[in-house]
Amino acid sequence: ESENRRFEAEALFLRAYAYYILVCYWGDVPLITQDIKDFDYTLPREPLHKVYKQIVSDLKTAASPGYLPEKKPTDTPARVCRYAPVAMLGKVYLTMASYKESAVISEYELIEEDVNTLYSLARTELKDVMEHGNLELMKPYGSLFGNSYKTSNTETLFEIFFGPGELGSGWSREVFGGYGNGNGIDLRL
């Protein structure tokens, strides 16, 4: 039971992260939340505010107590702890607030919450991470990027490790915002 909840929470976190990347790059995107048998390339795009609503819902569920371990696992890299979706939720609220406040992209006006509420929600989530996320800055700074700290990095909440080569050194850095480490790219939150 608890392992199933953990897998569900990790899947929801990864789906929310993927949709966050998609909505930041392209705005309205097809929103798939059910199993599909045959992919339909004519799926309609859902409005940006509905995609954000799903992202927030997924992250809130993933961050619920009892789904994920409180501390980042050191024995199994690239697993999610409870504070990864909490931090991501804070980032999502900040993104929604800042775009809505700037009024540069009109679709952000359709987000229900007002700007001050979004900033307040972001503050609450990020304060929780700062106070309970078991994070600390690594010394020396350069060690953050070393291979020897892939499983014991105390400065990040979640990592995906890419291998060296064409995929790990090109598009993944641009899309996922990873950091070069000499042996590939890491996605870090």
Side-chain angles (χ1 to χ4, degrees):
E1 170 89 19
S2 66
E3 190 169 300
N4 287 343
R5 283 198 322 250
R6 180 178 183 177
F7 291 148
E8 177 188 358
E10 288 180 339
L12 289 171
F13 169 74
L14 292 171
R15 179 171 73 183
Y17 182 80
Y19 272 111
Y20 175 75
I21 296 294
L22 290 171
V23 82
C24 285
Y25 275 99
W26 293 288
D28 301 349
V29 295
L31 182 62
I32 302 169
T33 59
Q34 302 293 322
D35 291 344
I36 54 174
K37 295 185 190 288
D38 297 313
F39 189 77
D40 181 2
Y41 290 98
T42 62
L43 287 171
R45 297 170 120 197
E46 288 294 327
L48 176 139
H49 70 281
K50 288 186 179 179
V51 179
Y52 270 115
K53 187 174 267 194
Q54 184 65 50
I55 292 168
V56 168
S57 174
D58 285 352
L59 292 171
K60 283 182 175 182
T61 302
S64 298
Y67 278 75
L68 294 167
E70 294 289 315
K71 292 185 178 184
K72 183 175 80 169
T74 56
D75 57 338
T76 51
R79 296 301 298 264
V80 181
C81 74
R82 188 170 100 71
Y83 290 99
V86 174
M88 189 69 208
L89 185 56
K91 181 175 183 164
V92 167
Y93 285 140
L94 282 175
T95 301
M96 292 191 308
S98 61
Y99 274 110
K100 188 170 182 168
E101 184 175 39
S102 72
V104 173
I105 301 172
S106 61
E107 287 85 1
Y108 278 88
E109 286 302 316
L110 298 174
I111 292 172
E112 292 174 16
E113 298 86 356
D114 65 77
V115 171
N116 290 331
T117 300
L118 290 167
Y119 280 129
S120 178
L121 290 167
R123 182 181 188 279
T124 300
E125 299 301 332
L126 297 172
K127 184 177 180 190
D128 188 21
V129 173
M130 289 171 49
E131 292 176 355
H132 304 105
N134 300 304
L135 299 171
E136 59 184 61
L137 295 176
M138 293 182 63
K139 295 180 183 174
Y141 171 74
S143 64
L144 177 64
F145 305 101
N147 287 330
S148 61
Y149 291 98
K150 282 193 181 263
T151 59
S152 62
N153 187 326
T154 59
E155 199 166 311
T156 62
L157 289 163
F158 177 71
E159 301 94 6
I160 294 178
F161 308 116
F162 295 94
E166 199 171 312
L167 253 162
S169 60
W171 72 272
S172 61
R173 179 183 317 203
E174 295 167 14
V175 173
F176 293 113
Y179 303 93
N181 67 5
N183 287 320
I185 304 298
D186 298 342
L187 160 68
R188 294 188 171 146
L189 175 63

